[in-house]
């Protein structure tokens, strides 16, 4: 019995380490955890509209606010920028109402619907800095599924870059953090997942500014495929860097890692 247990534990360790040992461009994981805004849902324009209107109303520099807010909970952004004497709770309620109805420019990130459709419902989760009301509305608006495990702004005591949300999601999936793969688009989100002990793939669409990120990076989910494996594992097969769809970031340099790390990607990282 002890021998079998040791063999099982060793097998799990080997599989968890397979990120860096699979020569054919595949990642082996037991769970996947996704951010929403900027990762599976493109809501950047909608969020920017809402924040710019608020900044004008409250005489706050909108450019400085937008540069700071990516990946943070709305309440945490308000704590940084709200003028003295203004009730945070009232501002938060107003902003969430605006975000809920601001759907005109909200779309699914390319390939996200197909990729999520290939995942077992009990093997993936969402960790978001947005509220449950807004997140569920946006997912349904763009035709993406709402997962069984959904950790939102109101579910944690500390938002990203704190790892609390990712740790909660991994526990709900019954997945060791080291065997989970996170998808993120913001510095705060990437830091949160890494502090939880997870590997991260950054979603880096072009046009957000040129900032270095030393890690796995893709433009979108086009070309990504997942295979369900025995023992609750999944194999994520990534397209080559020169694929026609351009899922991997241009400019990545060859590496012995599973996929080529994007050393300089066009993203807000």
């Amino acid at each position: 019995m002890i021998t079998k247990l040791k063999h099982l534990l060793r097998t799990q360790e080997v599989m968890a380490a397979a990120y860096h040992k699979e020569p054919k461009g595949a990642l082996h994981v037991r769970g996947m955890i996704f951010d929403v805004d900027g990762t599976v849902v493109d809501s950047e324009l909608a969020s920017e509209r809402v924040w710019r209107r608020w900044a004008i109303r409250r005489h706050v520099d909108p450019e400085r606010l937008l540069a700071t807010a990516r990946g943070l909970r709305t309440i945490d952004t308000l704590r940084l920028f709200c003028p003295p004497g203004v009730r945070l709770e009232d501002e938060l309620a107003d902003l969430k109402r605006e975000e809920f109805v601001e759907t005109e420019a909200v779309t699914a990130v390319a390939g996200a619907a197909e990729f999520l459709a290939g995942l077992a419902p009990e093997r993936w989760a969402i960790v978001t800095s947005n509220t449950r009301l807004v997140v569920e509305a946006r997912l349904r608006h763009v035709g993406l599924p709402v997962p069984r495990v959904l950790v939102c702004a109101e579910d944690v005591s500390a938002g990203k870059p704190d790892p609390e949300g990712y740790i909660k999601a991994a526990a709900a999936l019954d997945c060791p953090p080291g065997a989970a793969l996170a998808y993120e688009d913001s510095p705060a989100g990437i830091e949160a997942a890494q502090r939880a002990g997870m590997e991260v793939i950054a979603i880096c669409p072009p046009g957000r500014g040129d900032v270095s990120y030393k890690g796995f990076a893709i433009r979108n989910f086009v070309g990504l495929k997942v295979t369900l494996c025995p023992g609750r594992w999944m194999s994520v097969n990534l397209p080559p860097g020169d694929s026609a769809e351009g899922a991997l970031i241009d400019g990545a340099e060859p590496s012995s890692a599973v996929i080529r790390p994007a050393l300089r990607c066009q993203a807000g990282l």
Side-chain angles (χ1 to χ4, degrees):
M1 181 67 178
I2 294 177
T3 302
K4 288 183 178 179
L5 180 59
K6 287 182 178 179
H7 176 72
L8 176 62
L9 292 173
R10 176 56 184 160
T11 300
Q12 292 182 344
E13 290 174 359
V14 171
M15 292 294 285
Y19 291 112
H20 306 290
K21 295 185 178 180
E22 170 59 55
K24 296 181 181 180
L27 304 178
H28 297 291
V29 298
R30 283 186 60 185
M32 295 191 207
I33 305 177
F34 301 80
D35 174 49
V36 176
D37 296 297
T39 299
V40 296
V41 173
D42 183 356
S43 55
E44 183 174 14
L45 183 56
S47 295
E48 181 177 329
R49 287 173 179 172
V50 171
W51 275 120
R52 283 190 182 279
R53 289 196 296 263
W54 181 86
I56 292 171
R57 289 198 303 269
R58 293 303 180 185
H59 307 289
V60 172
D61 179 359
E63 302 306 326
R64 189 165 67 92
L65 184 152
L66 290 169
T68 304
R70 182 180 298 279
L72 301 184
R73 296 184 301 176
T74 303
I75 187 63
D76 294 328
T77 303
L78 286 172
R79 286 174 179 146
L80 294 173
F81 290 95
C82 206
V86 177
R87 282 175 49 85
L88 291 180
E89 295 79 4
D90 295 340
E91 301 300 292
L92 179 62
D94 289 344
L95 284 166
K96 289 301 130 183
R97 278 193 292 269
E98 289 189 50
E99 280 195 294
F100 182 77
V101 300
E102 187 73 64
T103 59
E104 180 183 353
V106 177
T107 60
V109 169
E114 294 80 3
F115 187 69
L116 293 177
L119 303 181
E122 69 277 7
R123 294 289 86 207
W124 71 281
I126 277 176
V127 174
T128 174
S129 295
N130 218 322
T131 61
R132 186 174 300 270
L133 181 68
V134 173
V135 166
E136 291 188 354
R138 285 181 172 174
L139 289 173
R140 293 191 173 102
H141 174 73
V142 301
L144 295 180
V146 178
R148 297 177 182 178
V149 178
L150 178 57
V151 180
C152 300
E154 59 266 45
D155 300 320
V156 295
S157 59
K160 302 171 185 179
D162 191 278
E164 180 184 349
Y166 276 102
I167 293 171
K168 281 190 171 184
L173 292 176
D174 191 24
C175 174
L181 177 63
Y183 297 81
E184 272 284 358
D185 76 308
S186 70
I190 291 171
E191 181 181 342
Q194 289 178 327
R195 287 172 62 186
M198 299 177 185
E199 186 64 84
V200 180
I201 290 182
I203 309 300
C204 299
R208 287 186 184 170
D210 186 9
V211 183
S212 296
Y213 168 64
K214 295 181 179 179
F216 303 139
I218 57 177
R219 290 190 190 279
N220 51 52
F221 294 90
V222 173
L224 271 70
K225 299 183 184 301
V226 61
T227 302
L228 302 183
C229 306
R232 304 173 72 186
W233 289 88
M234 296 176 285
S235 176
V236 186
N237 300 302
L238 296 114
D242 57 354
S243 69
E245 298 293 346
L248 291 181
I249 298 300
D250 294 335
E253 299 181 2
S255 167
S256 60
V258 181
I259 60 175
R260 298 182 298 178
L263 301 181
R264 296 187 66 79
C265 60
Q266 297 292 323
L269 302 176

